[in-house]
Amino acid sequence: DADVTQTPRNRITKTGKRIMLECSQTKGHDRMYWYRQDPGLGLRLIYYSFDVKDINKGEISDGYSVSRQAQAKFSLSLESAIPNQTALYFCATSDPKGRSNEQFFGPGTRLTVL
Amino acid sequence: SQKIEQNSEALNIQEGKTATLTCNYTNYSPAYLQWYRQDPGRGPVFLLLIRENEKEKRKERLKVTFDTTLKQSLFHITASQPADSATYLCALLRGDYKLSFGAGTTVTVRA
């Protein structure tokens, strides 16, 4: 079973619609992250949370909001989607006590905004 | 401004050869650097970490070097196999404990 899951895996929506992407993890990690990936630009951090009561903006948070409902769940919302938010979105987790501080990524959500 | 640059071109190599990928950075002082592998349609998977006080790290057929003077890491895949075909990402840990990623280098190993 996957440790980090994302739903939906694919979504096509129209400009102006509200969209929520969900992330769940069974790794027991406190830290969770949302990234977007665009061709040629690499992964860029949107929001991150170091525990349930902690929410922080990343490099590109404009147009996005998040909710950390529980240790295991971290949702990303696009309040009013626009075409340049078309991208691949990844959720990730990490354990600050881990030796490598590696991040564990979900399978991604491909979002298309028409 | 801060930049992380990986090989701009995709790498095509013959099976059995060594693939060498570069990761150059500017205006960072990372405590460590990580390498990830990403297959099409999947999330990145962690491969290796190298700390600023380490010159070289190995894991099976993978070798990573880290030169903080040159601000560069090299990632080597020795005795490459078609199954090594993927995109490889480098990531730097910033002072605020977040990772910054390069755009990745796509490697194709021909049988």
Side-chain angles (χ1 to χ4, degrees):
Chain A
D1 286 343
D3 295 316
V4 184
T5 56
Q6 293 183 234
T7 55
R9 294 294 315 279
N10 288 282
R11 183 72 185 267
I12 300 174
T13 191
K14 294 183 178 179
T15 297
K17 294 291 188 183
R18 184 177 187 274
I19 296 295
M20 180 180 285
L21 309 183
E22 301 192 2
C23 177
S24 293
Q25 52 115 347
T26 58
K27 300 191 76 67
H29 291 167
D30 286 328
R31 295 185 176 184
M32 298 187 74
Y33 311 81
W34 274 105
Y35 292 91
R36 67 176 277 175
Q37 188 175 40
D38 299 274
L41 289 180
L43 289 158
R44 292 182 290 166
L45 185 64
I46 306 172
Y47 270 95
Y48 63 102
S49 169
F50 281 0
D51 66 44
V52 175
K53 296 178 183 175
D54 175 69
I55 300 286
N56 302 282
K57 293 182 178 181
E59 314 164 44
I60 53 163
S61 58
D62 287 350
Y64 301 95
S65 63
V66 291
S67 171
R68 184 83 185 263
Q69 301 95 322
Q71 187 202 40
K73 295 185 182 297
F74 193 34
S75 301
L76 176 72
S77 293
L78 288 68
E79 296 301 325
S80 179
I82 56 176
N84 78 0
Q85 291 178 313
T86 293
L88 196 50
Y89 290 84
F90 288 103
C91 173
T93 74
S94 70
D95 176 3
K97 299 185 292 296
R99 270 192 334 145
S100 304
N101 204 22
E102 65 187 277
Q103 293 193 6
F104 297 85
F105 285 82
T109 295
R110 185 169 296 281
L111 177 67
T112 303
V113 184
L114 302 175
Chain B
S1 63
Q2 295 176 319
K3 279 188 188 175
I4 302 171
E5 293 182 328
Q6 298 188 237
N7 303 53
S8 56
E9 308 259 336
L11 215 56
N12 283 279
I13 61 168
Q14 186 71 36
E15 183 175 10
K17 301 292 187 185
T18 296
T20 298
L21 286 63
T22 61
C23 176
N24 296 298
Y25 58 92
T26 55
N27 295 322
Y28 281 100
S29 295
Y32 62 66
L33 188 147
Q34 298 178 338
W35 284 89
Y36 288 78
R37 169 184 172 139
Q38 185 174 19
D39 291 287
R42 297 189 170 220
V45 175
F46 173 80
L47 295 174
L48 278 168
L49 172 146
I50 187 164
R51 300 183 192 280
E52 60 179 339
N53 60 350
E54 297 174 320
K55 296 293 185 192
E56 181 179 300
K57 206 73 162 293
R58 290 176 186 260
K59 179 183 175 182
E60 298 170 354
R61 293 182 296 105
L62 307 179
K63 185 178 88 169
V64 174
T65 63
F66 192 11
D67 188 327
T68 55
T69 301
L70 291 178
K71 297 188 183 296
Q72 180 182 78
S73 175
L74 298 179
F75 178 84
H76 307 271
I77 307 171
T78 59
S80 60
Q81 303 168 0
D84 296 325
S85 298
T87 296
Y88 293 87
L89 311 174
C90 71
L92 278 61
L93 179 71
R94 301 179 341 209
D96 52 6
Y97 299 102
K98 298 192 292 291
L99 288 176
S100 290
F101 286 84
T105 299
T106 298
V107 174
T108 302
V109 182
R110 302 187 308 275

